[in-house]
Amino acid sequence: MSLPESFGEKAWRKTKDQPLVPMGALLTLGFLVSGFKAFRNGEKQKSQVLMRGRVAAQFFTIAAMGVGAYFGMKPHDRPATMEEKMERMEPKN
């Protein structure tokens, strides 16, 4: 019986599995902090540009999570056709 992995071990394992997600999160944080600093210093135009960059970085992170989740599926779990995908989305009674 193995011990459950610690928070750090789990974070490192997930970072190795999907390295673009933590990179996107750090990029988002960088834009956010820089944008707040620019806003605090009265640089409204620079702050606006940095906040738009933050939104783009968030989009990148969400897209990386989606792509990673899709390709992380086992091949037999992926829908082979669009019809199969639509069947899976229908509510079951």
Side-chain angles (χ1 to χ4, degrees):
M1 183 171 146
S2 65
L3 296 174
E5 61 186 346
S6 69
F7 176 78
E9 292 169 338
K10 183 176 182 179
W12 181 248
R13 179 178 51 82
K14 289 186 175 271
T15 298
K16 287 191 300 187
D17 290 345
Q18 293 189 27
L20 295 178
V21 174
M23 287 177 13
L26 290 174
L27 186 64
T28 301
L29 180 64
F31 274 114
L32 182 65
V33 170
S34 298
F36 279 147
K37 284 182 181 179
F39 182 75
R40 188 181 60 202
N41 293 335
E43 302 173 63
K44 292 179 183 179
Q45 188 65 32
K46 182 178 180 182
S47 174
Q48 189 64 245
V49 169
L50 289 168
M51 287 299 127
R52 289 178 184 161
R54 176 190 56 86
V55 171
Q58 284 176 316
F59 175 78
F60 169 80
T61 305
I62 297 298
M65 287 170 47
V67 169
Y70 179 77
F71 286 110
M73 287 180 172
K74 294 177 177 55
H76 63 274
D77 289 340
R78 287 190 206 137
T81 63
M82 184 56 107
E83 289 79 22
E84 185 181 343
K85 185 175 183 179
M86 297 305 287
E87 286 175 12
R88 289 184 183 188
M89 292 174 67
E90 292 176 3
K92 307 239 187 225
N93 292 334

